């Protein structure tokens, strides 16, 4: 029995590691693609041009789907033993809710920080200017014809925060669907979860995207506010479902 459990954890760990590598690969490709334009003397690409491009690929590009699979598998791995009669009796419904929330927050901190620092390090290495979104010779002005005035360190925090909140919101959605269907097949639960996740993405402003365009159009505060409301609603619903769940 122990051997089977260990094999299961090894299998999920290998899958998650491979998907993380794949997601990082796509982020790095975004940086490399942008660096090919760096030979134009009429513009200067800054660290934040590279960083925003790489990080946005996770919440708005092809990485969205790759990273979603990582999050789903990781959530399954972390909470797989929480849905049994014994677990509910052992921890109690309220404690089980808080236990799962702490798990996903810690995971979100870990994953978002890993992605941010790898992308930030590469972006810093590729650029000769840290921040120039308010300069006329910037890549931003060359391509968009407008400026963005913001504290670069606040911008760093917001770019990291978008990934963190995306992971938390996505994990909560998975837990909520899992508790609703509870004894349903994992493949079915993942399909339902993915459908809801795609709907969230297609609505446009339910997942924060921090870049020059969203800052210039004053969309960042609105999307963060909407995401906070969604996370709060998912937390309330999750706690209610766990409390009302029949054994």
């Amino acid at each position: 029995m122990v051997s089977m459990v260990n094999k299961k954890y090894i299998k999920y760990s290998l899958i998650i590691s491979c998907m993380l590598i794949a997601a990082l690969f796509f982020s790095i490709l975004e940086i490399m693609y942008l660096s090919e334009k760096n030979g134009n003397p009429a513009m200067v690409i800054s660290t934040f041009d590279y960083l925003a491009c790489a990080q946005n690929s996770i919440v708005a590009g092809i990485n969205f789907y790759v990273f979603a699979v990582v999050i789903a598998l990781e959530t399954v791995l972390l909470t797989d033993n929480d849905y049994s009669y014994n677990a509910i009796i052992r921890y109690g419904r309220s404690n089980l809710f808080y236990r799962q929330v702490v798990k996903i927050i810690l995971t979100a901190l870990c994953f978002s920080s890993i992605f941010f620092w790898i992308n930030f390090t590469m972006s810093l290495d590729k650029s000769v200017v840290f921040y120039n979104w308010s300069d006329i010779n910037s890549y931003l002005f060359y391509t968009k014809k407008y400026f963005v005035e913001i504290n670069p360190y606040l911008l760093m925090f917001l770019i990291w925060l978008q990934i963190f909140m995306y992971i938390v919101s996505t994990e909560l959605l998975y837990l909520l669907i899992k508790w609703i269907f509870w004894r349903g097949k994992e493949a079915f639960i993942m399909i339902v979860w993915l459908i809801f996740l795609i709907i969230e993405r297609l609505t446009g402003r339910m997942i924060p995207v921090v870049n020059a365009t969203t800052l210039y159009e004053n969309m960042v505060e609105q999307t963060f506010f909407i995401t906070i409301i969604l996370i709060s609603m998912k937390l309330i619903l999750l706690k209610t479902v766990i409390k009302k769940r029949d054994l």
Side-chain angles (χ1 to χ4, degrees):
M1 181 68 179
V2 175
S3 178
M4 290 180 64
V5 171
N6 288 337
K7 286 181 179 179
K8 184 178 181 180
Y9 274 79
I10 290 171
K11 180 182 72 174
Y12 278 124
S13 298
L14 285 174
I15 294 172
I16 292 170
S17 298
C18 290
M19 297 302 293
L20 274 173
I21 291 169
L24 276 170
F25 174 74
F26 284 116
S27 295
I28 292 168
L29 279 182
E30 294 288 338
I31 295 174
M32 301 304 293
Y33 173 75
L34 188 56
S35 68
E36 292 178 0
K37 303 178 180 180
N38 211 10
N40 191 332
M43 63 183 185
V44 179
I45 303 177
S46 71
T47 299
F48 284 93
D49 293 313
Y50 289 116
L51 181 61
C53 189
Q55 293 285 106
N56 287 172
S57 72
I58 298 171
V59 294
I62 190 172
N63 254 352
F64 178 88
Y65 301 101
V66 177
F67 202 62
V69 176
V70 174
I71 294 170
L73 291 174
E74 163 270 323
T75 309
V76 171
L77 184 62
L78 283 179
T79 63
D80 195 40
N81 297 323
D82 292 344
Y83 307 101
S84 66
Y85 174 84
N86 290 336
I88 295 175
I89 296 299
R90 178 182 178 185
Y91 297 110
R93 295 174 186 268
S94 294
N95 288 339
L96 191 57
F97 164 76
Y98 292 114
R99 174 184 169 86
Q100 290 193 329
V101 170
V102 168
K103 284 179 181 179
I104 66 172
I105 288 176
L106 291 176
T107 304
L109 282 170
C110 180
F111 279 8
S112 59
S113 298
I114 288 172
F115 267 78
F116 177 83
W117 285 112
I118 290 176
N119 286 328
F120 178 71
T121 302
M122 285 201 65
S123 300
L124 197 61
D125 180 66
K126 286 289 181 182
S127 60
V128 293
V129 175
F130 185 62
Y131 176 83
N132 66 353
W133 287 5
S134 57
D135 296 343
I136 198 169
N137 65 333
S138 65
Y139 174 73
L140 170 62
F141 186 78
Y142 182 84
T143 55
K144 304 292 186 180
K145 299 298 185 272
Y146 55 71
F147 301 114
V148 172
E149 292 280 357
I150 186 172
N151 185 305
Y153 297 101
L154 173 60
L155 181 55
M156 285 176 64
F157 173 72
L158 292 176
I159 289 175
W160 167 79
L161 186 62
Q162 69 175 342
I163 307 297
F164 172 76
M165 293 185 70
Y166 161 63
I167 297 173
V168 170
S169 181
T170 303
E171 289 181 315
L172 281 174
L173 177 63
Y174 181 86
L175 290 178
L176 181 58
I177 294 172
K178 174 66 178 179
W179 276 104
I180 289 173
F181 291 102
W182 200 24
R183 299 186 187 281
K185 296 292 185 180
E186 206 67 54
F188 169 76
I189 291 171
M190 280 198 179
I191 290 171
V192 174
W193 165 80
L194 188 58
I195 290 171
F196 276 98
L197 189 62
I198 291 172
I199 290 172
E200 282 190 5
R201 183 180 181 233
L202 293 178
T203 52
R205 298 194 178 187
M206 297 175 75
I207 298 175
V209 178
V210 180
N211 54 33
T213 301
T214 55
L215 287 166
Y216 180 75
E217 295 177 354
N218 295 317
M219 292 172 53
V220 173
E221 292 180 1
Q222 181 187 40
T223 52
F224 272 120
F225 179 71
I226 292 171
T227 304
I228 290 171
I229 291 177
L230 283 173
I231 289 175
S232 300
M233 289 175 60
K234 289 173 184 176
L235 284 168
I236 294 171
L237 286 172
L238 179 63
K239 188 170 186 178
T240 303
V241 171
I242 293 176
K243 185 177 180 180
K244 299 294 184 181
R245 179 77 268 176
D246 293 330
L247 295 180

